[in-house]
Amino acid sequence: MIKYVDQLDLAGKRVFMRVDFNVPLDDAGKITDDTRIRAALPTITYLLDHGCRVVLASHLGRPKGKVVPELRMDPVAARLAELLGRPVGKADDCVGPEVEAAVAGLASGDLLLLENLRFHAEETANDPVFAGELATLADVYVNDAFGTAHRAHASTVGVPQVLPGVAGLLMARELEILGRLLADPARPFVVLLGGAKVSDKIGVIEKMLTLADAILVGGAMCFPLLAARGAGVGRSKVEEGTAEVAAGALAAAAASQCEFELPTDVVVAPEPAAAAQRRVVSSDAIPADEMGLDVGPATTAAFGARLRAAGTIFWNGPMGLFEVAEFAAGTRAVGEAVADCPGVSVVGGGDTVSAVRAFGLADRITHVSTGGGASMEFLEGRALPGVEALLDA
Ligand code: 3PG
Ligand code: MG
């Protein structure tokens, strides 16, 4: 059994809290979506209210074991301080004498954010010595980093081998809500998938064919599937080497009780540019010199009707190139249908979450997951190393 943060006497303790503050940054280094920081606030506040000295640790981006100045945690510390309305200390490393001194100086109810864990290659290598160094900073380990739970790294797996470990409130909520999708979803259970890569989604497709009532597919990942059904897809983005995966998915879908719907119409243009001439064509008549960039109106109407009538929805992946306003209509329309659905709606994945926020729909969705890869692996039915590590911690 996993223990949760409220099942341990934490009063006055030094806590090492693993969070997933891997937030998107723009070219100027500004945070463009602070969902993951906001999502950790309940556990942070809980710990501070219990007089803990809280040491927060996260990765940001993929610096690959080197200090990358653009990936320092300073903007995250600033945003966290703003959201909490209190100062947040920031260390310039995550291990070493200076960090130890900073932690030793924390008073009850103080907060210190460590520097990017991935500035050390030992983090992703789950190096036991590095994990031991992190562990010396605290008495107790709290993992609220659901978004990183699919990684077996020093801060997710190594530290709880040394310290007693519990899950935070965000981790608890993610596991509870996503767990219900696997165990007892209200019917009909409709899964909406999009995004670029069918290879990323194949595990979830296979699992959901056994659990869901319908899988609806849009986004660039529909093109290898349409091609496998024999359609020409013109110059549409088709992930390389996926013909077999796509054919396998169609065969599995045909053999299952689950309905599997691909777009019936798509918005095409000669290139993925705002100024390009757009038109709607049938999905089996994509011109050879054009590419599909969004799902068409007949598809959004059909998908929308299914989504509005669903008992449970899981959505991962945009329906088209929604970052370009001219190709955002499909993603917006299905997003509105997801928001309108009176049942349980769960949205996961960085792009999808950004889309839902950009369209102002997040408040009408039951659960906006902080996990992209983590939520997908969880829904494939795979054990998450960061969760497993808490089982015997
Ligand atoms: C994510 O955003 O998927 C998590 O923060 C994990 O990051 P990673 O994919 O770089 O391991
Ligand atoms: Mg990822």
Side-chain angles (χ1 to χ4, degrees):
M1 283 280 279
I2 296 178
K3 278 215 185 77
Y4 293 96
V5 77
D6 50 358
Q7 294 174 290
L8 213 61
D9 177 19
L10 292 167
K13 294 249 165 68
R14 290 181 309 156
V15 176
F16 183 100
M17 178 173 167
R18 193 5 168 142
V19 286
D20 187 340
F21 286 170
N22 182 28
V23 290
L25 303 169
D26 66 14
D27 291 341
K30 238 185 94 216
I31 296 167
T32 55
D33 182 351
D34 63 4
T35 303
R36 283 177 160 178
I37 304 175
R38 288 175 188 273
L41 296 178
T43 306
I44 294 171
T45 305
Y46 178 92
L47 295 174
L48 296 175
D49 287 349
H50 283 74
C52 298
R53 295 141 217 262
V54 182
V55 178
L56 295 170
S58 178
H59 71 288
L60 179 60
R62 293 177 174 173
K64 305 217 166 93
K66 284 200 287 290
V67 174
V68 176
E70 298 76 44
L71 295 176
R72 286 201 178 273
M73 299 298 291
D74 297 75
V76 175
R79 178 61 60 89
L80 179 60
E82 229 171 85
L83 292 170
L84 284 171
R86 61 191 292 163
V88 174
K90 155 79 189 12
D92 288 331
D93 202 344
C94 60
V95 289
E98 279 175 32
V99 175
E100 283 162 29
V103 172
L106 292 178
S108 170
D110 278 353
L111 202 57
L112 177 73
L113 176 62
L114 300 182
E115 188 50 275
N116 194 336
L117 292 161
R118 290 190 187 171
F119 285 176
H120 294 264
E122 293 87 347
E123 161 65 359
T124 52
N126 187 16
D127 178 88
V129 176
F130 179 72
E133 285 179 305
L134 293 174
T136 57
L137 301 176
D139 311 305
V140 178
Y141 173 80
V142 173
N143 191 347
D144 221 15
F146 175 74
T148 319
H150 58 318
R151 305 290 183 220
H153 295 168
S155 66
T156 59
V157 164
V159 179
Q161 270 164 12
V162 185
L163 294 178
V166 295
L169 303 171
L170 170 63
M171 182 73 92
R173 181 169 160 79
E174 293 274 11
L175 295 176
E176 214 253 315
I177 293 184
L178 291 167
R180 249 187 281 150
L181 298 190
L182 289 180
D184 187 24
R187 307 247 168 216
F189 178 15
V190 179
V191 174
L192 175 64
L193 297 175
K197 293 186 177 173
V198 69
S199 62
D200 280 355
K201 307 276 153 76
I202 188 67
V204 164
I205 290 175
E206 280 168 1
K207 178 75 179 180
M208 289 299 142
L209 283 172
T210 70
L211 279 182
D213 299 292
I215 300 177
L216 317 176
V217 181
M221 67 175 280
C222 77
F223 298 116
L225 293 163
L226 289 168
R229 240 174 35 181
V233 296
R235 292 174 47 235
S236 303
K237 186 161 155 187
V238 175
E239 187 191 0
E240 245 176 86
T242 47
E244 229 168 276
V245 170
L250 290 186
S256 81
Q257 301 292 308
C258 181
E259 291 182 66
F260 191 78
E261 274 191 42
L262 296 176
T264 54
D265 61 347
V266 290
V267 177
V268 297
E271 50 184 333
Q277 183 68 44
R278 279 168 290 136
R279 58 199 174 108
V280 175
V281 299
S282 168
S283 61
D284 57 11
I286 298 174
D289 54 351
E290 301 202 47
M291 56 179 76
L293 293 161
D294 195 7
V295 293
T299 302
T300 53
F303 284 11
R306 282 212 180 254
L307 292 164
R308 285 189 172 84
T312 306
I313 294 170
F314 175 72
W315 177 24
N316 179 304
M319 295 293 105
L321 191 66
F322 78 98
E323 299 88 341
V324 178
E326 285 73 10
F327 304 111
T331 302
R332 182 191 287 271
V334 300
E336 273 161 8
V338 172
D340 286 347
C341 171
V344 174
S345 51
V346 180
V347 175
D351 287 342
T352 319
V353 171
S354 297
V356 154
R357 294 232 177 271
F359 299 145
L361 302 170
D363 292 347
R364 291 194 290 131
I365 284 162
T366 310
H367 181 62
V368 176
S369 177
T370 54
S375 62
M376 295 302 275
E377 289 195 21
F378 184 88
L379 291 180
E380 284 174 37
R382 284 158 70 172
L384 302 179
V387 175
E388 295 292 293
L390 298 174
L391 286 176
D392 34 43

